[in-house]
Amino acid sequence: EKAVNLKKDLAEMQEWMTQAEEEYLEKDFEYKSPEELENAVEEMKRAKEDVLQKEVRVKILKDNIKMLATKVPSSGQDLVTELNVVLENYQLLCNRIRGKCHTLEEVWSCWIELLQYLDVETAWLNNLEEKVQMTGNLPDKLDAVNDALESLESVLRHPADNRTQIRELGQTLIDGGILDDIISEKLEAFNARYEELSHLAVNRQITLEQQLQTMRETNHMLQVLQENLADLDRQLTSYLTDRIDAFQIPQEAQ
């Protein structure tokens, strides 16, 4: 009777493993939304816990069958053979579910990381757009133009590492058919805005550099002119002080 019960337990265990394999490993999942992906991750976590919880039952079954085989070799040997098959299948099931759970967790982590990089780069684009707008109506002063140029150049020195990460993470998920429509849309919008603002900012940078150069040249000319006028003023003052007749001084002084 004990052998019959143990045989029944082995059959039930094998049946449960077959159902678990069909439910968790053989279904074709399509992750077209973050909600679907997140639900799949949670489901695989529960599956992993469920399978691992059966470890105690498997161990008890194993101990009982080995004990029976020791006491009644004739009845226990066949059960030991069936047990070995069940143990092998159970270990394989555990490994496959662990692997799938790990894969889905990695995919979810990849998606979250992509969103974080997009948030960082979007904040940078907002800052860049603000700096470009601030340079649109500057006072006609050298310091104001110089400060605006330095501020814009500081933002443009933003490293390209984050964009590389966004491209690689997005491509990895798209290649796996995971959230491909959503990611493609996000990347297309981000890249379009990046190209537009970068082009606009570089053009504004060139304009400011040219404006700054012109203002510096103009200031230099004014400085030279002021110095020449000051020299002439000193010369004329000395003529007046010495009471020199206008016809006695050079033509330009007259």
Side-chain angles (χ1 to χ4, degrees), residues 133-146:
Q133 290 174 349
M134 289 173 60
T135 62
N137 189 23
L138 294 172
D140 194 22
K141 294 182 179 179
L142 183 65
D143 289 345
V145 175
N146 187 60

Side-chain angles (χ1 to χ4, degrees), residues 24-114:
Y24 300 127
L25 298 174
E26 294 183 0
K27 283 195 302 186
D28 291 329
F29 292 97
E30 286 191 6
Y31 310 114
K32 295 299 181 183
S33 72
E35 293 76 20
E36 288 179 2
L37 176 59
E38 187 175 18
N39 289 338
V41 173
E42 294 304 317
E43 183 178 357
M44 284 310 301
K45 285 181 180 178
R46 288 193 297 270
K48 185 173 73 170
E49 292 173 2
D50 191 21
V51 170
L52 293 178
Q53 283 175 358
K54 291 293 189 294
E55 188 173 2
V56 175
R57 181 183 174 187
V58 171
K59 187 177 184 306
I60 293 172
L61 196 56
K62 177 182 175 182
D63 292 342
N64 288 339
I65 289 175
K66 286 191 173 182
M67 186 180 298
L68 179 65
T70 302
K71 293 180 179 180
V72 189
S74 58
S75 302
Q77 193 56 46
D78 290 341
L79 288 176
V80 169
T81 302
E82 290 185 37
L83 172 66
N84 289 335
V85 173
V86 169
L87 290 177
E88 184 178 347
N89 290 341
Y90 176 73
Q91 192 58 53
L92 180 60
L93 179 65
C94 287
N95 292 339
R96 290 181 66 191
I97 286 183
R98 280 197 193 98
K100 186 167 184 178
C101 186
H102 176 73
T103 299
L104 282 176
E105 286 176 330
E106 287 291 311
V107 169
W108 179 254
S109 176
C110 188
W111 163 248
I112 295 300
E113 192 175 3
L114 174 62

